[in-house]
Amino acid sequence: MTGARAGELVLMRPRDIDRADPDAWAYRPPAHKGTWRGKDRDIYLGRRCQEVVAPFLLRAGSPDARVFSPRRAEEER
């Protein structure tokens, strides 16, 4: 839904997501494959994607916690 790479998504934290625009949140990964060139990367999360990600944001608890935590997933399993 986003065009993001898996490596970018596993680093996602709630504080990295700009939710000012309700139509499209912007996730700015702290590091990505163009970082060494000084390039910024914005990954937009539309409404449908927001519906999918929102429960994970709530489960993260802290703004610095990972949205998709392998440890939390294993505990829930």
Side-chain angles (χ1 to χ4, degrees):
M1 285 186 221
T2 65
R5 295 170 184 87
E8 294 168 331
L9 292 178
V10 297
L11 298 176
M12 186 186 298
R13 297 174 297 186
R15 74 178 184 149
D16 298 327
I17 303 170
D18 179 1
R19 295 180 251 181
D21 182 357
D23 292 326
W25 294 347
Y27 164 52
R28 294 177 182 91
H32 54 88
K33 76 178 203 175
T35 302
W36 68 276
R37 291 187 196 148
K39 302 281 185 181
D40 291 330
R41 176 147 165 81
D42 291 340
I43 299 168
Y44 295 100
L45 290 76
R47 294 241 182 206
R48 176 66 185 121
C49 189
Q50 292 172 23
E51 291 174 11
V52 172
V53 172
F56 291 95
L57 288 172
L58 293 173
R59 281 187 229 146
S62 163
D64 294 321
R66 301 284 180 213
V67 174
F68 302 109
S69 165
R71 179 177 294 144
R72 195 170 51 250
E74 211 32 55
E75 289 170 359
E76 290 174 4
R77 188 171 73 103

